[in-house]
Amino acid sequence: MKSASSKQAIVKYIVMGLAVILQTLLVFYLQHRFAFLLEDMDYMVNLKTGKELTGIGDIIAGIPSVLGGKGGSVLSISLLQIILLLGENFADVLNTAVLMIISLLVAVQVRAGKRDLVFFALPFFMLISLNSDWQYSYMWQFGIVNFVYPAIPFLIFLIMVSKELNRGKNALPKWMHIVGCLTAFLAGWANASYGLVEICMSVTALLIITKLMRRRYPMWLAVSTGCSAIGTILYLAASGNFREGSIVNGIFISFSIFPGVVLALLLLAIILRSGGFLKVEQMLMIVALGFSVIMRFVIGWIPGIAENGIQICCLILSIVLFCSLLSTLKREYPKHKFWVNLMAACAFLYALLNMLETFGGVS
């Protein structure tokens, strides 16, 4: 016979699973309803000739036009054109998968257990409930490719750095070093805002390791700083960045970062007030989030530069920090797990109502 607590846990797992399935279906349906539009149409042509996009050759031929015309990332624009070439149905599936992969990476970063579904579900719900501009962040192909896709290599890099901080005397396998450097480069090349935050993270991690832990600095982490810098320079060096109407100076993503940041800082204050201790990777995330918030304001004050990428980066970091702190709270104070589940339920209901509003009839 199963105990009452065991049955209760199974019920919670089933309910949370159904909530994730429901939101996934709604996200996919909205992706299907949200056709290619706006800038998507501008990139459905060979950027050199202006003729209809027919294959990879057209995308390669248009690379000089990307660098000298609208600027931004050759990596992101090439990927955008490939997706546009493959069609809306492919884009619908891929975009839904990307949001789920981001949620899974957050769960990995906060070290959620295999059966701890709440820490996969919560970031998935929060991605919409904390973003008032979610349609043009996740449903618009130009927006999601340029500003959300880079979160995947960014989060993988964060996971690699966290593993380095927690490795103790056991050296990380070489493949992790390679993955860390590669994702550092790709995130910076895909969007310079992510690259700058990565540089902050790797430098902070090096200081923690050498000054606080008194360990020899890991060479791969130093190399990854250079990889982030190279990717960021590749993004910023495009001459098209300095033209009117470029990707860099166009305002595409606009929502307030305050709800996510305040939520994370509020939980941080609660844990510290309760006598809890921060993990070393949480210290890293706090520094990275603080740096990204400062960047958000600095970029906002610079004429000709918009804060699109850093908006999403701030959101992602606030969700990661919040979920990490919530995981700590659940582990150290098991009696408070009710509040963890309640938070997930509130985030789901808010996200659900936001999506239903798009259908019409709900406000």
Side-chain angles (χ1 to χ4, degrees):
M1 293 293 290
K2 292 182 179 179
S3 65
S5 60
S6 178
K7 290 180 179 179
Q8 189 179 34
I10 292 172
V11 170
K12 289 178 181 176
Y13 194 85
I14 292 172
V15 170
M16 196 64 65
L18 291 173
V20 170
I21 292 170
L22 178 57
Q23 178 157 317
T24 303
L25 293 174
L26 285 172
V27 167
F28 178 77
Y29 177 69
L30 287 169
Q31 290 280 358
H32 185 68
R33 282 187 53 175
F34 221 78
F36 293 150
L37 76 167
L38 300 174
E39 275 75 12
D40 296 344
M41 311 309 293
D42 296 337
Y43 291 95
M44 292 184 76
V45 299
N46 181 319
L47 297 175
K48 181 179 180 180
T49 65
K51 295 181 180 179
E52 183 182 354
L53 198 64
T54 59
I56 299 297
D58 289 337
I59 296 173
I60 295 173
I63 287 177
S65 299
V66 174
L67 293 170
K70 293 289 188 178
S73 169
V74 169
L75 175 63
S76 293
I77 296 302
S78 298
L79 180 58
L80 170 64
Q81 289 196 295
I82 291 171
I83 294 169
L84 295 174
L85 193 62
L86 292 171
E88 291 185 8
N89 291 334
F90 176 81
D92 297 340
V93 174
L94 181 60
N95 294 344
T96 305
V98 163
L99 295 180
M100 299 188 76
I101 290 169
I102 289 172
S103 304
L104 178 61
L105 290 173
V106 173
V108 172
Q109 173 60 22
V110 304
R111 290 184 268 175
K114 292 181 179 180
R115 294 189 177 184
D116 212 353
L117 184 60
V118 67
F119 288 106
F120 168 79
L122 185 57
F124 191 41
F125 302 153
M126 293 177 80
L127 281 170
I128 291 178
S129 60
L130 289 177
N131 183 353
S132 58
D133 195 27
W134 58 272
Q135 290 183 65
Y136 287 93
S137 298
Y138 312 136
M139 310 294 164
W140 176 31
Q141 203 57 44
F142 176 87
I144 192 170
V145 171
N146 278 283
F147 310 121
V148 182
Y149 280 22
I152 291 179
F154 175 79
L155 285 170
I156 294 173
F157 177 70
L158 174 59
I159 291 168
M160 294 298 107
V161 175
S162 297
K163 286 185 178 295
E164 179 64 51
L165 290 173
N166 289 295
R167 71 174 173 83
K169 295 181 180 180
N170 300 317
L172 293 180
K174 297 296 182 183
W175 69 265
M176 285 191 180
H177 298 178
I178 296 171
V179 169
C181 293
L182 180 61
T183 52
F185 170 70
L186 290 176
W189 190 19
N191 192 283
S193 295
Y194 288 91
L196 292 172
V197 177
E198 281 182 331
I199 292 171
C200 170
M201 288 198 303
S202 55
V203 170
T204 301
L206 285 169
L207 289 174
I208 291 173
I209 290 169
T210 56
K211 302 300 181 183
L212 296 182
M213 296 180 171
R214 301 294 181 182
R215 279 174 20 201
R216 185 179 178 182
Y217 74 90
M219 183 58 68
W220 81 266
L221 196 51
V223 172
S224 73
T225 309
C227 291
S228 297
I230 292 170
T232 302
I233 291 169
L234 283 175
Y235 183 97
L236 295 175
S239 59
N241 290 333
F242 309 103
R243 294 192 174 189
E244 186 177 352
S246 73
I247 291 175
V248 168
N249 63 38
I251 299 176
F252 303 110
I253 306 294
S254 58
F255 63 89
S256 175
I257 62 172
F258 288 111
V261 174
V262 169
L263 200 60
L265 294 181
L266 181 61
L267 189 55
L268 173 63
I270 291 172
I271 288 178
L272 293 178
R273 183 67 181 82
S274 302
F277 293 95
L278 296 177
K279 297 183 177 70
V280 66
E281 68 266 26
Q282 290 171 340
M283 295 168 59
L284 175 70
M285 286 184 273
I286 290 168
V287 172
L289 180 58
F291 179 76
S292 66
V293 170
I294 292 171
M295 267 188 63
R296 161 63 181 80
F297 287 106
V298 170
I299 290 174
W301 291 330
I302 300 175
I305 300 180
E307 57 271 14
N308 304 298
I310 198 64
Q311 287 280 110
I312 301 294
C313 188
C314 278
L315 174 67
I316 298 294
L317 278 171
S318 64
I319 291 174
V320 175
L321 179 59
F322 179 80
C323 290
S324 179
L325 293 171
L326 202 62
S327 177
T328 297
L329 187 67
K330 184 180 178 182
R331 288 193 181 99
E332 294 185 3
Y333 304 94
K335 64 180 181 179
H336 293 323
K337 63 182 179 181
F338 165 79
W339 299 107
V340 178
N341 295 319
L342 179 62
M343 181 64 67
C346 290
F348 167 70
L349 289 173
Y350 189 81
L352 179 65
L353 290 174
N354 265 309
M355 288 187 288
L356 289 177
E357 185 179 9
T358 304
F359 295 145
V362 179
S363 63

